[in-house]
Amino acid sequence: MTDKIETPESGDENSKDNVEYLGIYDKPLIQEGTRERKTTDRLHLKIPVKVKTKIDFSVGKGERLGDIPSIETAITRSKADALKPLHRLLFGRPGSAIEVKRNIKDFRGFSFDSTSDEYQTKEKLLSKMTTQDLKNLCGIVCVQRGASKIEMMEHILEFLLIPASSGIQAPSARKVKKSKRPKSVKKPLKKIKEIKPKSLTKQKKRKSKAAVEDFDTSDEEPLMKKIKKDPPTDSEIETAIRNLLDGADLQNITIKSVCQKLLEEFPRIDITSKKDYIKSTIVSIIN
């Protein structure tokens, strides 16, 4: 609620002008009273309802398009969407799918001549169409197609001023050729060659060869390596060590080299278990 201060000037007419409203910084911190509620102004749109005007088909001076056989067949064969440009040209609106064919068949001609302003508006409407649309219109009303766009426009408007049968037949519907599938020719069955059993000797040779190839690579080792030898005794190890150290250069020979030579001589010796015995034997032989 806005605070106001009334001036003591007299007169009801000037009472509104004499009211001074306080600024936001001059108002008290606590506001008392109720807030004035503003009324909402709602926007009401009035949508005009289009009323379809009835078409007067008795105005034209020519023949009814539905009575001309060539045009009647062309209209019947065409779809409603393809006829809407012609309906717009004749009646000024595209028309619904239900009434398009009926209205075009009842058309008898324009109510104006070639010198009127309405004729020029129809020319402008045709000029906005593509060449293909004009060719379609010429095919529907069965008039000759001109070499240029202007000639086609003139032929269409001349005919629609006073429609009359020109004797040109509507283009016949194209027959869709059914693709003939070639009949499947039954090929004679090939003679199956009789498999003669191979001789038993060849089969045995192949089996024996395959059996030989199944052996492992370890089977190709010489048989001397297959002979199992018992591990050497302590006396045999001592004799071997004496033979190795006999005449050897003690400056170059080591215990490790002696162990390697013992492994070459006795492959089945367990060095880890005999390690202490070998060391003690070497020391005793040297001393």
Side-chain angles (χ1 to χ4, degrees), residues 225-239:
K225 292 184 179 182
K226 299 291 183 181
I227 299 171
K228 292 183 179 180
K229 295 180 180 180
D230 294 330
T233 59
D234 293 344
S235 61
E236 289 176 351
I237 293 170
E238 185 180 353
T239 312

Side-chain angles (χ1 to χ4, degrees), residues 28-74:
L29 296 175
I30 299 171
Q31 299 289 328
E32 296 180 355
T34 57
R35 183 174 61 86
E36 294 180 3
R37 294 187 176 274
K38 296 181 180 179
T39 57
T40 56
D41 295 332
R42 302 187 182 278
L43 180 64
H44 298 283
L45 294 175
K46 292 183 179 180
I47 301 172
V49 180
K50 292 183 179 180
V51 180
K52 289 184 180 181
T53 57
K54 291 184 178 180
I55 301 169
D56 187 9
F57 296 103
S58 62
V59 179
K61 299 178 183 178
E63 296 182 21
R64 182 175 171 270
L65 294 181
D67 295 338
I68 301 172
S70 58
I71 298 176
E72 198 277 333
T73 52

Side-chain angles (χ1 to χ4, degrees), residues 63 65 68-71 138-144 155 159 162-170:
E63 296 182 21
L65 294 181
I68 301 172
S70 58
I71 298 176
C138 292
I140 294 169
V141 297
C142 297
V143 296
Q144 291 181 355
H155 293 166
F159 175 78
I162 303 173
S165 179
S166 59
I168 300 173
Q169 294 182 357

Side-chain angles (χ1 to χ4, degrees), residues 98-228:
I98 302 170
E99 63 179 356
V100 166
K101 290 187 178 182
R102 183 180 67 244
N103 292 345
I104 292 173
K105 288 181 180 180
D106 292 336
F107 182 76
R108 294 177 180 273
F110 291 126
S111 60
F112 50 84
D113 55 3
S114 59
T115 58
S116 63
D117 295 335
E118 294 179 358
Y119 186 87
Q120 292 180 359
T121 56
K122 299 295 182 184
E123 280 185 340
K124 290 180 181 179
L125 183 61
L126 286 174
S127 63
K128 294 178 181 179
M129 294 184 183
T130 60
T131 307
Q132 186 61 40
D133 292 337
L134 293 175
K135 288 181 180 179
N136 293 337
L137 289 180
C138 292
I140 294 169
V141 297
C142 297
V143 296
Q144 291 181 355
R145 296 177 183 176
S148 62
K149 194 174 179 179
I150 297 170
E151 289 182 4
M152 286 189 284
M153 289 165 54
E154 290 176 355
H155 293 166
I156 293 167
L157 289 175
E158 284 177 7
F159 175 78
L160 294 177
L161 284 173
I162 303 173
S165 179
S166 59
I168 300 173
Q169 294 182 357
S172 58
R174 295 179 180 178
K175 294 181 180 180
V176 180
K177 294 182 180 180
K178 294 181 179 180
S179 59
K180 295 181 180 180
R181 293 181 179 178
K183 295 180 180 179
S184 58
V185 180
K186 293 182 180 180
K187 295 181 180 180
L189 297 172
K190 293 181 179 180
K191 292 182 179 180
I192 301 170
K193 295 181 179 180
E194 295 181 359
I195 301 170
K196 296 180 180 181
K198 295 181 180 180
S199 60
L200 296 174
T201 55
K202 289 183 179 180
Q203 290 181 358
K204 286 180 180 179
K205 285 181 180 179
R206 286 192 177 183
K207 285 181 180 180
S208 60
K209 189 177 180 181
V212 170
E213 289 176 354
D214 289 339
F215 284 104
D216 298 331
T217 55
S218 62
D219 297 331
E220 297 178 0
E221 295 178 353
L223 296 176
M224 287 298 293
K225 292 184 179 182
K226 299 291 183 181
I227 299 171
K228 292 183 179 180

